[in-house]
Amino acid sequence: NFIPSAGQRMTCDLSMTGDAYSLLGLFFSAFLSSTILPGTSEVVFIVLATQGNLPHLSLLAIATAGNTLGGMSSWALGWLIGRWYPLTELSKPAQRVAVDRVRRWGRPVLLLSWVPFIGDPLCIAAGWLRMTWMRALVFIGIGKGCRYAVLLAFLHANGDGW
């Protein structure tokens, strides 16, 4: 019976297990690692995968979701910057390089959004160039998901974490 009777208190257990905290930590680590802030989501991912307490598909999904949303925050930052500073006002060489790469290679270049030092500028440039958010989301998500899948495959090949 889901309805409490007269005099009974209805309670809700909001406590989280250690596994839930681990997944939440992985999500935030992956999110922050994919922004302009430094992060080490790969280390967190590998530690959790080798412990064997959590399903690897869950780790892959959570890390990919967090990292993809972080990449999309960079895309949104680029979109906002583009409203205030038109493309004609690119002053830094790194900005020009990122914008030129996105213009030259189009959406598929966002498959490289996971690469350190070039991934964030690519996501920002995609937003600046007004790439649609859905297309950016798809390519950023595929690239970031493949990175974590490769880490899992590497662990499997070495006999760790399965």
Side-chain angles (χ1 to χ4, degrees):
N1 190 0
F2 294 108
I3 302 173
S5 60
Q8 283 184 321
R9 282 186 41 205
M10 194 158 118
T11 61
C12 180
D13 183 14
L14 296 177
S15 62
M16 291 178 59
T17 65
D19 288 349
Y21 281 118
S22 296
L23 290 173
L24 189 61
L26 175 62
F27 178 86
F28 283 116
S29 175
F31 180 88
L32 292 175
S33 294
S34 185
T35 64
I36 56 176
L37 301 172
T40 56
S41 67
E42 293 86 355
V43 173
V44 175
F45 183 81
I46 289 170
V47 167
L48 291 175
T50 56
Q51 286 178 347
N53 299 343
L54 298 164
H56 288 163
L57 284 178
S58 295
L59 295 174
L60 180 65
I62 295 293
T64 300
N67 215 238
T68 300
L69 288 176
M72 288 304 293
S73 72
S74 295
W75 174 91
L77 181 63
W79 190 88
L80 289 172
I81 290 171
R83 292 191 66 173
W84 296 308
Y85 301 102
L87 288 172
T88 58
E89 296 183 21
L90 293 175
S91 58
K92 297 179 182 175
Q95 293 170 338
R96 277 190 238 111
V97 168
V99 168
D100 289 345
R101 284 181 181 153
V102 173
R103 279 186 176 150
R104 180 176 180 194
W105 299 104
R107 294 180 298 269
V109 77
L110 292 177
L111 294 171
L112 300 175
S113 63
W114 65 271
V115 178
F117 305 110
I118 69 164
D120 293 332
L122 291 175
C123 293
I124 291 170
W128 200 340
L129 291 171
R130 298 292 192 254
M131 184 180 294
T132 61
W133 71 269
M134 182 59 80
R135 290 180 178 168
L137 177 71
V138 167
F139 283 96
I140 290 170
I142 290 170
K144 291 181 181 280
C146 286
R147 183 243 328 257
Y148 291 112
V150 167
L151 286 174
L152 276 179
F154 178 76
L155 290 174
H156 177 64
N158 288 319
D160 296 328
W162 279 145

